[in-house]
Amino acid sequence: MTQPNHASAAERRKAGVYAFLAAAFYAVSTPVAKTLLQSVGAIVLAGLLYLGAGLGMLLLRAARRGAGIKDREEPLGRGERKYVLAMVALDVMAPILLLAGLKLAAAANVSLLNNFEIVATTLFAWLLFQERVSGRLWAGILLVTAATAMLSLQDLDSLRFSAGSLLVLLACACWGLENNCTRMLSSKDARQIVVIKGLGSGGASLVIGLLAGEALPGVLIAMQSLALGFFSYGLSVYLYVKAQRHLGAAKTSAYYAVAPFIGALLSLALFREVPGALFWAALAVMALGTAFVNKG
């Protein structure tokens, strides 16, 4: 596995482009998923999104093989099994928590709260996986943490925390640990990783949703959910894994700071949600934190 500190400047620049595109694809998911939640349960939707990622990448792999294009990347082996299992389990929990929080909170706020994933990823990378974290990145993380805390406050007078916000933060913690498990697999076949993540996590979430009493949506909503899953989860995860090879888990996650801003703008355009002063203050703090993490 190529270590982040040993990657060439060209490799890091290319990986940075992959990370930015991954963030852009993922940013679309929050506001669009909020519209889909009007027609489908949160757990079933989470399953369909991941299934869309896995099925889409599976079809893409089949098309490549049909065209005679050989995969040159190394497949996963037995040594990665523990990280694969952890990756799938955390990917089952995280989107369920996120979509449940999305039902209780404004889509724009959720888009910004998603940045807490950067904090969680970096802490896990540093504490559990001994990844180097620079001073600038730590400064950015502190600012991002401050912004997410501001957005979690439902009312400044009562200082009560929003249940929806807390669910989103728990989802980010799950994804933070999952990002580091995926980092341990990033030298392997990225398409295979997406297929395993998508089919494993999606299938489990769908079963859990049906057992919890949620119903399958109509064909049109199901197809829209699968399509969103392929673009916002499948392509995003694929590019994310390729970026991790040369940037590491913490730095790649830092690039995702741009995703909530894109998601927030889409949310404002789609739902005409007029944010209050606290939102704009948190946005300013988040923007400053973004500048630090991307220079870290």
Side-chain angles (χ1 to χ4, degrees):
M1 178 185 296
T2 302
Q3 296 300 318
N5 292 339
H6 298 148
S8 68
E11 287 173 330
R12 287 195 296 271
R13 283 194 297 269
K14 189 175 182 179
V17 173
Y18 286 151
F20 179 83
L21 290 174
F25 278 123
Y26 178 71
V28 178
S29 65
T30 297
V32 178
K34 191 169 180 71
T35 64
L36 292 172
L37 281 170
Q38 298 172 11
S39 306
V40 59
I43 304 176
V44 168
L45 179 57
L48 290 173
L49 291 175
Y50 268 109
L51 281 175
L55 291 172
M57 195 58 66
L58 195 62
L59 290 174
L60 187 59
R61 292 184 77 193
R64 285 171 55 86
R65 289 178 179 176
I69 303 174
K70 294 183 179 180
D71 286 326
R72 298 180 179 178
E73 297 188 335
E74 184 181 352
L76 293 168
R78 289 187 177 183
E80 292 84 30
R81 186 174 297 172
K82 61 181 180 181
Y83 296 114
V84 170
L85 292 175
M87 177 183 72
V88 171
L90 290 164
D91 269 336
V92 171
M93 293 186 288
I96 292 173
L97 290 167
L98 175 69
L99 293 171
L102 191 57
K103 274 195 168 183
L104 302 175
N109 271 34
V110 172
S111 291
L112 289 182
L113 282 169
N114 273 335
N115 254 1
F116 186 72
E117 183 180 334
I118 299 170
V119 180
T121 300
T122 306
L123 287 175
F124 284 126
W126 179 57
L127 293 172
L128 299 181
F129 296 89
Q130 287 77 54
E131 191 171 301
R132 180 183 172 275
V133 181
S134 69
R136 283 185 177 180
L137 188 52
W138 277 123
I141 287 167
L142 290 174
L143 289 168
V144 168
T145 303
T148 54
M150 292 168 67
L151 285 174
S152 297
L153 292 174
Q154 196 170 41
D155 189 326
L156 283 177
D157 295 327
S158 61
L159 293 179
R160 290 185 296 109
F161 281 92
S162 160
S165 296
L166 290 177
L167 287 172
V168 174
L169 294 180
L170 285 174
C172 290
C174 288
W175 265 316
L177 182 55
E178 185 272 336
N179 288 338
N180 282 278
C181 291
T182 303
R183 162 63 183 154
M184 303 306 294
L185 309 172
S186 63
S187 63
K188 305 295 183 178
D189 188 342
R191 293 184 185 87
Q192 184 185 14
I193 292 171
V194 176
V195 171
I196 292 174
K197 282 167 67 77
L199 298 184
S201 303
S205 296
L206 193 60
V207 170
I208 292 171
L210 294 175
L211 291 176
E214 294 185 1
L216 289 173
V219 175
L220 179 59
I221 296 298
M223 294 302 294
Q224 290 173 342
S225 302
L226 291 171
L228 177 64
F230 174 64
F231 285 101
S232 287
Y233 282 30
L235 294 180
S236 178
V237 171
Y238 172 73
L239 293 167
Y240 186 85
V241 171
K242 291 179 74 69
Q244 280 189 324
R245 293 175 183 174
H246 303 303
L247 297 179
K251 184 64 176 177
T252 305
S253 182
Y255 276 85
Y256 263 59
V258 71
F261 298 122
I262 299 172
L265 291 175
L266 288 173
S267 298
L268 297 176
L270 286 173
F271 306 114
R272 301 293 191 269
E273 295 174 338
V274 181
L278 187 60
F279 174 90
W280 296 111
L283 179 61
V285 175
M286 191 78 78
L288 184 58
T290 299
F292 275 99
V293 295
N294 283 298
K295 291 180 180 179

